[in-house]
Amino acid sequence: MTLKTLVRKYLENCKEQNNLNQKTIKAYKIDLEQFIFFMKDIDAFYKKDEIVRYIQHLNSLNFKVKTIKRKIASVKAFFSYLEYEEIIERNPFYKIKLKIKEPLILPKTISLKDIEKLFEYIYLEKSNYNETSYKHKEIVRDIAVLEVLIGTGMRISELCNIKKENMAYTNNEIKIYGKGAKERIIPIYNKDTIAALQIYETVFYKEICNSDYFFVNKRKKRLSSQSVRNMIKKYCKKINIDKNITPHMFRHTFATMLLDDDVDIRSIQMLLGHSSIITTQIYTHVRSNKKSQIMKNKNPRRMIIVNKG
């Protein structure tokens, strides 16, 4: 069988046997068609040397590292299928050592000055509207959302999917479901955050009662991630913060501020719901001047007094 035929059978298997979604299959198809084009005049496409040549070809293109890794993974999965079906004796990737290092991309945080500016504005804005107006209700909700984002470090998807029965902030906890539907309990003790949630629940009582979710819009539907992004952008524009502040930056800021306050990395991992400590360790790179401050102000040598006669 030709390489093109084998790829077609593999994609059919992905759809029928592995039950992969259309988006994944489409990505596989694009990656494998590129592999077919590269190997169009080569019969021994399953040989190690040809695979290495293809990887070198990908590295020569202007792809991002993540894209290259995905394209290689697609081809590797294809060869695993060929080996399983006994079309080839051995997957050539067994003999190939891949070392593709992704550049370190530091998480973007929000300055304390900008956070204070944002909160001062929105709290003041609330007092400018009549309590019976929807605009007042909307700002009450926006305050509660921002308080939860900066006070818990949860993902925006986690916030928008909080069920009303999982909001037990009066018992100082919120139950959320993170990546992979992993349950996580977030303790919540800050009085401003709790007060913002209590006011929001009172004002939106009817809407919440008619929804499965805690954070809702005026149509009594679940508040969307995009709505929160637009809300943050709107307020930043009004107070002349020209940075593109996103909901996820609140999460990064939460973690970085904890680290700056000498909270250990394992505790931060637990609060953020990271499955691996490696993911959390990225925050140790954000405040590079922290080490300088420690060595300047807390170096153990300062405690040693030597009489040099």
Side-chain angles (χ1 to χ4, degrees):
M1 283 188 282
T2 65
L3 175 57
K4 191 172 183 179
T5 303
L6 290 170
V7 167
R8 179 175 54 78
K9 290 178 73 68
Y10 167 65
L11 292 174
E12 288 172 357
N13 181 77
C14 287
K15 184 178 180 181
E16 296 167 8
Q17 302 295 325
N18 297 345
N19 200 29
L20 297 180
N21 63 47
Q22 282 295 346
K23 190 176 179 181
T24 303
I25 293 172
K26 184 180 179 181
Y28 280 175
K29 188 173 185 288
I30 292 169
D31 294 341
L32 291 171
E33 281 177 348
Q34 186 174 0
F35 180 66
I36 291 169
F37 182 79
F38 182 83
M39 297 289 181
K40 60 183 176 181
D41 298 320
I42 300 167
D43 294 327
F45 61 85
Y46 49 86
K47 296 290 187 182
K48 174 188 171 183
D49 291 346
E50 298 301 336
I51 303 297
V52 169
R53 220 164 52 81
Y54 180 64
I55 293 171
Q56 290 170 343
H57 166 69
L58 289 177
N59 282 322
S60 70
L61 302 176
N62 291 323
F63 289 130
K64 292 181 179 179
V65 173
K66 281 187 177 180
T67 303
I68 293 172
K69 291 175 79 172
R70 191 203 71 218
K71 288 181 178 295
I72 293 171
S74 296
V75 175
K76 189 175 181 180
F78 168 63
F79 277 106
S80 295
Y81 160 80
L82 296 183
E83 182 186 34
Y84 181 79
E85 294 293 330
E86 298 182 347
I87 296 169
I88 60 173
E89 288 185 11
R90 190 171 176 83
N91 188 333
F93 278 89
Y94 286 136
K95 298 180 180 180
I96 297 173
K97 290 184 178 180
L98 291 172
K99 288 186 178 180
I100 303 174
K101 190 174 181 181
E102 291 190 42
L104 182 65
I105 301 173
L106 297 179
K108 294 179 180 178
T109 60
I110 313 166
S111 70
L112 182 59
K113 180 182 176 182
D114 283 342
I115 292 174
E116 289 175 342
K117 191 177 178 181
L118 177 60
F119 274 83
E120 282 174 7
Y121 173 81
I122 195 169
Y123 271 103
L124 183 62
E125 186 75 353
K126 184 181 73 167
S127 64
N128 291 333
Y129 291 91
N130 189 293
E131 291 186 9
T132 59
S133 68
Y134 186 77
K135 185 66 180 176
H136 180 270
K137 288 180 66 171
E138 187 179 58
I139 296 174
V140 164
R141 184 196 59 209
D142 295 347
I143 288 172
V145 167
L146 293 176
E147 287 283 7
V148 169
L149 284 176
I150 197 61
T152 67
M154 68 174 69
R155 301 176 180 92
I156 183 60
S157 58
E158 293 169 342
L159 180 144
C160 291
N161 284 297
I162 296 174
K163 295 291 184 74
K164 57 187 178 186
E165 64 267 22
N166 292 335
M167 285 296 297
Y169 57 85
T170 51
N171 294 326
N172 303 110
E173 65 180 35
I174 303 174
K175 184 192 290 184
I176 61 173
Y177 294 90
K179 289 185 176 180
K182 291 180 182 175
E183 182 181 297
R184 187 160 95 255
I185 303 293
I186 299 183
I188 182 165
Y189 289 93
N190 181 271
K191 60 180 179 62
D192 293 315
T193 306
I194 292 172
L197 288 169
Q198 287 173 332
I199 295 169
Y200 163 75
E201 189 170 27
T202 301
V203 170
F204 272 81
Y205 180 76
K206 288 182 180 178
E207 289 88 345
I208 295 170
C209 285
N210 289 302
S211 173
D212 291 331
Y213 298 93
F214 185 74
F215 286 110
V216 293
N217 58 28
K218 60 183 175 184
R219 295 184 298 277
K220 302 171 187 175
K221 302 290 184 181
R222 178 180 68 86
L223 189 67
S224 70
S225 300
Q226 190 57 47
S227 294
V228 178
R229 291 188 189 93
N230 292 339
M231 175 264 287
I232 294 170
K233 189 178 291 185
K234 175 185 72 177
Y235 289 125
C236 286
K237 187 177 180 181
K238 286 185 176 182
I239 56 178
N240 298 318
I241 295 177
D242 56 3
K243 304 178 191 73
N244 181 30
I245 294 178
T246 66
H248 210 67
M249 287 170 68
F250 284 84
R251 179 172 167 85
H252 294 324
T253 305
F254 170 83
T256 305
M257 290 176 79
L258 287 177
L259 194 67
D260 280 352
D261 208 22
D262 298 321
V263 176
D264 68 276
I265 198 74
R266 288 284 179 187
S267 297
I268 296 173
Q269 177 195 1
M270 181 180 62
L271 288 168
L272 294 178
H274 287 157
S275 56
S276 170
I277 191 69
I278 295 170
T279 308
T280 319
Q281 283 172 339
I282 188 69
Y283 295 107
T284 61
H285 298 276
V286 177
R287 291 290 187 264
S288 58
N289 64 338
K290 184 72 175 178
K291 287 184 287 186
S292 298
Q293 291 172 5
I294 292 171
M295 292 301 286
K296 182 180 178 181
N297 302 314
K298 298 186 179 182
N299 194 309
R301 180 62 181 86
R302 80 189 195 284
M303 305 295 292
I304 302 169
I305 300 171
V306 179
N307 187 348
K308 296 181 180 179

